[in-house]
Amino acid sequence: MNKRNIHSFVMRFLEAYECTILEKTPTFVTVKLSPEADKELTGRPYYWSFVERTGAPAETMTYKFVFDPQQMKAETKPKAAAPAAVKSPSAPGTLPEQGQAAGAGPFPQPPEAGSDSILGRYFGFVPTNLNTRVPQDDMTFGSRRLDQIFNVVREKGRFVHLFEEPFPMGATYHASLIYDTWFCVNYKVELACDRKRSEIHSLAIGLNSGEIREHFHKNLLTKSLSPKLPANSHLLPDKISLPKALNALEMTLERKISAYDHAWADEANEQHRSEIDRVEAYYNGLLLGAEPDQRADIEIQCRNRLQEIDWQHKPRIVVSVINCGLFHLNAARVPRN
């Protein structure tokens, strides 16, 4: 992912979680997290447990997410400071001048008495006039905070339930809209040996008709989807259960993979056999000249090395589910002329 992709992804995440944007530039964004985003990103379970028990209004954290750390450093590079004026020392025992602030100097100012924080209301006096530092995180590919957001999206987006909105927007219909239900599964297929090739297959089946379509996710990108069922519409009854639909999609994917040219697997098997012969010949030579008390260690090393070769060179096909969802798409629309 480049900087533009990361910027777009993070802003979509913040918008989906209804966070408040305080400052936004091409280099960074300062945002006040919503309660949902704060629970996911800040790791404060005890605080949120306290808020839920007491019913107190939540005070969420503010973060600065930096999309271009190098540009940020250039923009915030400190300038040369002007020389400070030299003050004459005060005589011992003298009081500060009338114009000098009471809290100036090395002594901290007393906190305001009107503190209205959660801790102040429930545990007494808490200073709140101190300048708090806004946490700053780099949003670059591989950074801890971006990986955390990826994990949140991956966990929360494993299953979706969406409805297609009427198009064009604002159109009126003299008959009810009919929605057909499609069950879509996005599969990741990995052809692995000492090299790896990954593919994504988006398969969907109509729960009313039993029709199976490929590249379903690509078709969804052209549609406007919403989590709410539009007004004046109804759903066709499903004729296929979800377990049967999932089995049909898996069989379709299996037939598709079996039709591949698997010459790569034959070549990997040859390389796998060659590596095994080479390692066995090496350790057999060591065993012939080893002392009896050394044979056990050499055999353990040989088994470990053979397991590594199996993992690295043995051809295999790994299929995993990325996410899935139910999509209700317009099966018939009758616009009013």
Side-chain angles (χ1 to χ4, degrees):
M1 297 180 69
N2 55 33
K3 296 178 183 178
R4 181 178 300 179
N5 298 139
I6 295 175
H7 185 278
S8 175
F9 173 79
V10 173
M11 296 307 298
R12 288 174 58 193
F13 174 84
L14 298 176
E15 180 182 356
Y17 271 84
E18 298 181 349
C19 301
T20 302
I21 306 299
L22 303 179
E23 186 178 3
K24 178 182 177 182
T25 70
T27 305
F28 68 90
V29 60
T30 304
V31 58
K32 184 172 180 60
L33 301 178
S34 64
E36 293 75 13
D38 192 286
K39 293 178 183 179
E40 296 289 349
L41 299 180
T42 61
R44 300 191 296 167
Y46 296 108
Y47 170 78
W48 284 107
S49 176
F50 168 77
V51 170
E52 293 170 358
R53 289 197 311 267
T54 60
E59 297 176 0
T60 61
M61 294 188 65
T62 300
Y63 275 91
K64 176 183 284 187
F65 297 139
V66 180
F67 304 106
D68 193 339
Q70 294 182 352
Q71 182 65 24
M72 184 70 182
K73 290 180 181 179
E75 293 176 357
T76 58
K77 186 177 181 180
K79 299 180 181 179
V86 179
K87 296 183 179 180
S88 59
S90 301
T94 58
L95 297 176
E97 297 181 3
Q98 184 175 2
Q100 183 179 359
F107 303 100
Q109 296 182 4
E112 299 177 358
S115 174
D116 194 32
S117 67
I118 290 180
L119 297 179
R121 289 196 300 271
Y122 289 89
F123 294 103
F125 177 75
V126 176
T128 58
N129 66 330
L130 300 177
N131 292 328
T132 57
R133 182 182 66 86
V134 176
Q136 176 176 312
D137 287 312
D138 293 344
M139 305 301 286
T140 56
F141 192 74
S143 64
R144 181 189 64 85
R145 184 65 70 183
L146 185 60
D147 285 343
Q148 185 184 24
I149 294 179
F150 283 158
N151 293 332
V152 172
V153 173
R154 188 180 297 112
E155 183 64 26
K156 298 295 183 180
R158 293 185 66 86
F159 186 85
V160 295
H161 191 186
L162 299 174
F163 300 85
E164 181 181 4
E165 294 182 343
F167 184 83
M169 296 298 294
T172 57
Y173 300 87
H174 69 275
S176 175
L177 293 175
I178 302 175
Y179 279 75
D180 198 2
T181 304
W182 290 82
F183 177 53
C184 174
V185 181
N186 293 322
Y187 294 97
K188 181 179 181 181
V189 178
E190 295 177 302
L191 311 179
C193 53
D194 57 330
R195 294 172 292 178
K196 181 183 291 185
R197 187 182 79 186
S198 299
E199 302 174 347
I200 295 179
H201 297 266
S202 182
L203 303 179
I205 180 172
L207 299 184
N208 179 264
S209 62
E211 177 188 357
I212 295 179
R213 295 182 183 178
E214 298 184 11
H215 312 293
F216 193 75
H217 177 74
K218 184 177 181 180
N219 296 331
L220 290 177
L221 297 178
T222 62
K223 301 182 181 297
S224 179
L225 302 173
S226 169
K228 297 181 180 180
L229 176 67
N232 194 28
S233 58
H234 73 275
L235 305 178
L236 292 175
D238 298 338
K239 298 180 179 179
I240 303 175
S241 65
L242 287 180
K244 291 183 178 180
L246 182 60
N247 185 59
L249 293 180
E250 290 178 352
M251 292 179 62
T252 301
L253 182 62
E254 184 178 354
R255 289 194 298 267
K256 186 178 182 65
I257 296 176
S258 63
Y260 284 6
D261 181 6
H262 294 291
W264 65 275
D266 297 333
E267 296 176 359
N269 277 323
E270 294 179 2
Q271 180 68 18
H272 177 246
R273 185 69 258 174
S274 175
E275 291 291 329
I276 288 179
D277 293 341
R278 182 176 61 84
V279 170
E280 288 181 343
Y282 171 76
Y283 281 100
N284 287 336
L286 289 181
L287 290 172
L288 291 176
E291 298 294 334
D293 58 342
Q294 297 177 342
R295 289 179 175 273
D297 292 337
I298 295 176
E299 290 175 353
I300 293 175
Q301 293 179 9
C302 181
R303 285 197 299 269
N304 292 338
R305 182 56 183 146
L306 291 177
Q307 291 177 359
E308 293 177 359
I309 292 175
D310 285 344
W311 177 84
Q312 182 178 3
H313 293 278
K314 195 171 184 179
R316 59 196 179 275
I317 298 177
V318 181
V319 179
S320 58
V321 175
I322 301 174
N323 49 27
C324 57
L326 289 173
F327 298 90
H328 303 282
L329 306 182
N330 292 336
R333 292 178 295 191
V334 186
R336 178 177 297 176
N337 294 331

